[in-house]
Amino acid sequence: MTADGVLVRCPVCRHEQAYAPPAFPCVCGAPVVPPVTHGAAIPLTHRTRADAWVTVRCGACGRAADWPRPELGCACGTVLRVPVAQDGAAPAPRAAFRPLPVRDARDAVTTAALFLRWLGYEDVRDAGPDEERPPSGTRLTALGVVAQVEPTVRHASLRDVECAWLTAMTRSATCVCFALCDFTPLARARADELKVALFRIDLSGTPEPLNAAADELTATGA
């Protein structure tokens, strides 16, 4: 949360801007502010009466009431629906990810593992000798997630994304792909179709979300 609210990233053009939700007057007289979070904003294509409102509980009297769901217009023309903490609760604080400088391929894999643990996957490990090996790079696994890491200057390919996704599907797990350099255009397009979270690891050791699935995973965690 910034002094002006939360930072909202548009999944269409990737532009970020600050958003502060409006306050509404509770019947007791206290201001009620929807507890917006850093979750992935959703492009709004149509409105329905059911999803146009969000229930927020007054912090002063405890009364719950429905208020307009927060929305924000992006410069690219997209209208974004800003996520609100469930049940009107204040968003739980989470410590910032602490990056470590990346000097070689092993550091990139270590960064991916640390980031997965930060997301909430505690039992992260390299794929064992009895598990299917990826076509290139390194495979990390944990309960509920399969991660593909390309720790070299090679662009992660369409095949890398699809193989990781297929493995994740057989385990009913979330699929995440990391690349030290980048992903090919075909890999990015396919990842968006399959809702595979893509992250690019910069040399400071910070995984940068590259698509909406990555934005959502970063915000919500495991």
Side-chain angles (χ1 to χ4, degrees):
M1 178 94 56
T2 69
D4 298 318
V6 295
L7 287 177
V8 178
R9 175 181 291 176
C10 175
V12 177
C13 69
R14 315 298 294 173
H15 174 68
E16 270 191 346
Q17 58 181 311
Y19 172 77
F24 301 101
C26 178
V27 294
C28 74
V32 176
V33 180
V36 293
T37 74
H38 289 284
I42 301 173
L44 183 61
T45 56
H46 67 279
R47 291 182 176 88
T48 65
R49 292 181 62 87
D51 62 11
W53 303 88
V54 61
T55 302
V56 181
R57 191 175 299 278
C58 176
C61 69
R63 181 181 286 104
D66 291 337
W67 301 104
R69 190 177 292 274
E71 294 177 3
L72 174 65
C74 180
C76 72
T78 304
V79 177
L80 303 171
R81 177 162 288 156
V82 182
V84 176
Q86 291 184 350
D87 300 324
R94 182 166 62 167
F97 177 70
R98 299 180 63 180
L100 296 175
V102 174
R103 295 157 296 189
D104 53 29
R106 191 64 225 173
D107 286 345
V109 175
T110 299
T111 290
L114 290 173
F115 189 74
L116 290 172
R117 293 189 184 102
W118 178 76
L119 289 173
Y121 300 104
E122 298 181 356
D123 55 339
V124 180
R125 58 183 177 80
D126 289 350
D130 297 331
E131 298 182 75
E132 182 182 354
R133 308 301 295 178
S136 64
T138 299
R139 181 72 50 78
L140 298 174
T141 63
L143 182 63
V145 70
V146 170
Q148 169 71 23
V149 186
E150 179 48 66
T152 71
V153 293
R154 168 186 172 274
H155 280 51
S157 68
L158 171 65
R159 185 186 180 199
D160 294 328
V161 170
E162 290 186 332
C163 287
W165 177 79
L166 286 170
T167 301
M169 288 304 96
T170 63
R171 304 180 182 186
S172 299
T174 298
C175 184
V176 185
C177 290
F178 297 88
L180 182 61
C181 187
D182 210 331
F183 296 83
T184 66
L186 286 177
R188 285 199 180 209
R190 187 63 170 148
D192 287 342
E193 293 174 1
L194 300 175
K195 301 188 184 304
V196 173
L198 300 184
F199 293 90
R200 179 172 52 215
I201 300 174
D202 64 28
L203 295 181
S204 74
T206 302
E208 174 194 1
L210 297 180
N211 61 1
D215 283 332
E216 182 175 2
L217 183 61
T218 300
T220 62

